[in-house]
Amino acid sequence: MRNAPTILHLDMDAFFASAEQASKPSLRGKAVVVGGLGVRGVVATASYEARVFGVHSAMPMAQARRLAPNAAYLVPRFGLYREISEQVMGLLRTLSPLVEPLSLDEAFVDLEAGGTAWDEASARRAGAKLRADIRAVTGLTGSVGLAASKMLAKIASEQAKPDGLVVIEPGTERALLGPMPVRTLPGVGPATGDHLRRGGITTVDEIAEAGEDELVRLLGKAHGHALYAMALARDERPVVAERETKSVSVEDTYDVDIHDRVRVGLEVQRLADRCVERLRRAGLSGRTIVLKVRRYDFSTLTRSETLRGPTDDPAVVREAAGRLLDAVDTTGGVRLLGVGVSGLADYTQEDLFAQARAREAVEETAAQELPAVETGEEPAAEQVTAAERRWPAGHDVRHAEYGHGWVQGSGLGRVTVRFETPDSQPGRVRTFRTDDSALEPADPLPLVPRRPEEAPGVSAGAPGRT
């Protein structure tokens, strides 16, 4: 363990919901819930105003609507969130070369490795400057925890929420952890927590008092040893700049169970293509194809097939996923499907036969489409009428007359739009037909006007040692 609180943990405050509130003046200070809006959707993030009603992440959306019926319910805009995340991670990398992202809105930073902090005072200055820079660059707030280990820095950032900074001074860890519930420690979920409670252990102090041998008896060797060390505030894990990607996967949950076997097969092929797109964007390939099927009764089946070599060929992945699906009984209906690739590598050893089949399929499709091009007819895939466009709640639109706005809701052939921007006053609401040619989807606007000469922290050097 270090003798100075030079490990920083940043956690953006209610990230998705806060980004939506910053983007939409009419929602500031109001309950906002972001997630899947279908019957089986779940909450991704709830604003602090929504949390007052008991809404929290991972909660079924139907339950959230019962608890907070008057909240604004929005579909996530991941493109915007990724863009903000890149800005935040850029600020973190000015502090140190050792930045370990955990998600879009959370990361560890080793301040000592960057020469940014060496004692409590310099760590506080770095944390305070980071919070100010995040607000200036993104318009959002983040909570910062500083400690001598990753575990304690994360606990500190939880205590700092929302929009605060907490430092755990070396030497005070045991006294701080002692009265906390066992669920505070990493790796203690509901099942482990219940198991410990049945053994009469409910606080971190009681874990330490139980002793290592008792924990091993209750939880097994690996988990017992690790939990005992954490209860004594021992955590030697380093901040790792690059976290190895172990798998790439995509999955969809359906509002209504799919019973048609043909449609199930088409969905699997579509998911396989999306998975390969992600694989290629990451510059990776993989050897093991994984199919996940959750059936009508919530039973979940996972099947996998390992190929002779790594691939990023969509035809190969589709074919393997199809073979795996053939071995799964979908009678009764399917509520979730997923396709993943693991055993990742940064090179490929393609199946030449599959490549040949894929090329033949492309050539055949091109030959079939050629007459349509010659006669000036549009391919069937492009014959999408404006009436078929989807208008997800919360997503950006632009109207030829009224300008930029966002979708408040849609249905029965109508779409309701509120016209406002991040730097405007709350805007007016108007309703249009869903096929209105003057209304088009739009890209999100930046939360803070982009002026390169005013980017605090991005080009500034790290605080100097005095």
Side-chain angles (χ1 to χ4, degrees), residues 24-43:
K24 302 171 171 64
S26 58
L27 297 185
R28 292 170 191 168
K30 298 182 179 178
V32 174
V33 181
V34 180
L37 302 190
V39 176
R40 292 174 180 160
V42 297
V43 175

Side-chain angles (χ1 to χ4, degrees), residues 134-298:
I134 288 173
R135 185 186 288 273
V137 171
T138 71
L140 305 181
T141 63
S143 295
V144 168
L146 292 156
S149 71
K150 290 167 71 171
M151 177 186 76
L152 291 163
K154 185 170 174 61
I155 290 172
S157 70
E158 283 295 320
Q159 292 184 325
K161 281 188 167 294
D163 191 21
L165 183 151
V166 167
V167 179
I168 297 178
E169 300 177 21
T172 67
E173 298 94 346
R174 289 289 303 278
L176 174 77
L177 284 175
M180 291 183 173
V182 294
R183 291 287 301 276
T184 303
L185 299 179
V188 181
T192 301
D194 287 345
H195 201 50
L196 290 170
R197 181 178 51 78
R198 288 194 294 271
I201 299 173
T202 58
T203 67
V204 176
D205 258 346
E206 289 169 345
I207 290 177
E209 291 167 4
E212 192 168 11
D213 291 342
E214 176 64 10
L215 290 172
V216 168
R217 186 187 70 80
L218 287 172
L219 305 175
K221 188 173 182 181
H223 202 178
H225 285 313
L227 195 58
Y228 183 69
M230 287 189 290
L232 298 181
R234 297 174 187 163
D235 180 16
E236 301 294 342
R237 294 174 299 159
V239 176
V240 180
E242 295 295 333
R243 293 165 63 86
E244 181 183 359
T245 302
K246 296 181 179 180
S247 66
V248 173
S249 63
V250 295
E251 62 181 44
D252 276 346
T253 300
Y254 304 99
D255 291 342
V256 179
D257 291 346
I258 302 176
H259 293 84
D260 184 353
R261 181 76 179 188
V262 173
R263 188 189 164 195
V264 171
L266 291 174
E267 288 292 312
V268 167
Q269 290 190 19
R270 183 179 61 82
L271 290 167
D273 288 342
R274 283 173 51 196
C275 184
V276 169
E277 286 177 14
R278 287 192 180 183
L279 203 64
R280 287 181 168 179
R281 282 200 301 267
L284 298 169
S285 60
R287 297 183 67 235
T288 301
I289 313 303
V290 181
L291 175 71
K292 178 180 177 181
V293 179
R294 180 166 297 149
R295 298 188 292 191
Y296 70 99
D297 58 357
F298 287 90

